[in-house]
Amino acid sequence: ESMPMTMIKLRAYIKAKGAEISEENSEGGLHVDLAQIIEACDVCLKDDDKEVESVMNSIVSLLLILETEKQETLIESLCEKLVKSREGERPSLRMQLLSNLFHGMDETAPVRYTVYCSLIKVATTCNAIAFIPTDLDQVRKWITDWNLNTEKKHTLLRLVYEALVECKKSEAAAKVMVELLGSYTEDNASQARVDAHRCIVRALKDPNTFLLDHLLALKPVRFLEGELLHDLLTIFVSAKLAAYVKFYQSNKDFIDSLGLNHEQNMAKMCLLTFMGMAVEFKEISFDTMQQELQLEEDQVEAFVIDAVRTKMVYCKIDQTQRKVIVSHSTHRTFGKQQWQQLYDSLSSWKGNLATVKTSLQTLSPSA
């Protein structure tokens, strides 16, 4: 790393680029000088010359040696400059500067919040989210470390969510959204409407999301009870295909207004209905399949193959007896009944183990 440029050199460089700044250092010490330099530094970012990098890195290095209480407002104004810079103006340099700043600061400094939010904003404009830590456990730790209030916590989670959606990481994005919705309280549940709405629509839209019952438990989603969107979600959580078809016939415009695709909804509801059937019955006749899933006879086989591909259902086709034999299916909802089933199967497993142990002991007394 080269030594940071001196203040006088920084001032001269920035002045030469056309900024309104005196070449003399101020009387007020390092933080006043830095404040003046940061105020004028956007002239540098417009330029492609080699020295810009070392000038900007010098500013970051000098910022990091300031006392913590003097850093905050300066870091905020530098971040604002780096985010505001016009599209396409050296985004990788701006990311590098923010990253150096972020990693150079004290782990628990609350102003890291501003730097992190700025990093996300710049990374989103240049498709570089992959290079930024967005792991939910890490983000949770920061929220605690930086002692963020509710509003900042929500802003942070929403930014991370948007960024992950932008770069097609739908599973990670969904986890962040559930975290966001789970962090609302009664006081701010009404602001949560917008987030809840977006979360439900994205989940319905996502071709790889099939299990939705956890959304119903979230406060902001419960807030939507009695509205069409909540009714639709409930259908996807636990109803059959016929219920969706009926809903669609009465609310076609509503489905279109959400930007949902009816064919895709039908396909997802077919699979969900089949999952429910497969939990209940170990054998399902082709006739039942055709009736419940509104399929033609020659569509059954292709449907089953697609269903198995999702890994939500494991089954095989018995052509001669025209039926599907199920070996396992994922539960669409996990409620009291499923806990009871789990408890029963664990209890019988425990019982079987005891029997095995007893028969081993009779066979070999030393065991």
Side-chain angles (χ1 to χ4, degrees), residues 45-294:
L45 291 166
K46 292 186 174 47
D47 248 331
D48 238 354
D49 92 42
K50 293 279 176 289
E51 263 187 293
V52 170
E53 210 163 312
S54 73
V55 168
M56 294 308 293
N57 272 312
S58 298
I59 296 177
V60 168
S61 307
L62 290 164
L63 255 181
L64 290 171
I65 57 175
L66 269 186
E67 308 89 289
T68 319
E69 63 278 8
K70 289 180 178 165
Q71 274 180 349
E72 197 160 330
T73 40
L74 295 186
I75 286 176
E76 282 173 357
S77 65
L78 179 62
C79 283
E80 198 183 326
K81 299 268 184 202
L82 293 173
V83 170
K84 259 213 315 245
S85 202
R86 302 298 145 269
E87 284 275 327
E89 277 178 10
R90 323 258 334 229
S92 57
L93 171 62
R94 292 186 283 134
M95 263 188 73
Q96 182 214 326
L97 294 167
L98 287 163
S99 184
N100 292 352
L101 190 54
F102 185 71
H103 294 293
M105 290 166 76
D106 178 42
E107 289 271 317
T108 56
V111 72
R112 282 185 94 200
Y113 160 78
T114 308
V115 184
Y116 183 72
C117 289
S118 307
L119 248 180
I120 294 257
K121 287 174 188 164
V122 174
T124 308
T125 62
C126 60
N127 295 327
I129 280 297
F131 302 108
I132 290 174
T134 51
D135 174 67
L136 189 53
D137 289 331
Q138 176 62 74
V139 172
R140 277 194 196 111
K141 186 178 178 305
W142 285 333
I143 287 172
T144 315
D145 286 351
W146 306 335
N147 201 4
L148 299 183
N149 63 22
T150 311
E151 193 184 337
K152 283 185 169 174
K153 180 177 172 177
H154 289 169
T155 303
L156 177 62
L157 288 169
R158 207 175 287 115
L159 265 176
V160 173
Y161 170 72
E162 287 299 336
L164 290 169
V165 166
E166 190 70 31
C167 67
K168 309 273 185 288
K169 292 190 174 176
S170 62
E171 205 172 315
K175 280 185 183 151
V176 173
M177 179 49 94
V178 168
E179 179 85 5
L180 171 60
L181 291 177
S183 69
Y184 278 105
T185 57
E186 294 295 348
D187 314 332
N188 46 30
S190 55
Q191 315 153 13
R193 283 183 63 92
V194 184
D195 286 324
H197 195 281
R198 271 158 63 198
C199 173
I200 295 169
V201 174
R202 286 247 165 86
L204 296 179
K205 223 180 233 181
D206 184 43
N208 304 312
T209 302
F210 302 107
L211 304 176
L212 302 156
D213 74 321
H214 62 288
L215 296 180
L216 286 176
L218 296 166
K219 260 201 194 105
V221 175
R222 292 212 302 266
F223 222 72
L224 302 174
E225 270 175 38
E227 296 188 23
L228 280 177
L229 186 60
H230 194 279
D231 297 346
L232 181 62
L233 174 62
T234 311
I235 289 173
F236 274 84
V237 168
S238 54
K240 292 185 173 180
L241 178 66
Y244 169 74
V245 172
K246 193 175 166 199
F247 181 92
Y248 180 72
Q249 284 161 352
S250 325
N251 303 290
K252 185 180 175 313
D253 293 346
F254 175 68
I255 297 271
D256 295 342
S257 76
L258 295 175
L260 292 172
N261 175 313
H262 175 57
E263 299 307 316
Q264 267 181 320
N265 292 347
M266 287 289 287
K268 190 184 272 199
M269 276 307 299
C270 264
L271 177 75
L272 291 169
T273 306
F274 180 51
M275 280 162 62
M277 291 158 70
V279 162
E280 224 175 317
F281 309 105
K282 291 301 147 216
E283 296 189 355
I284 308 163
S285 72
F286 282 11
D287 292 340
T288 310
M289 300 268 297
Q290 285 169 236
Q291 200 181 334
E292 293 281 344
L293 308 177
Q294 305 188 4

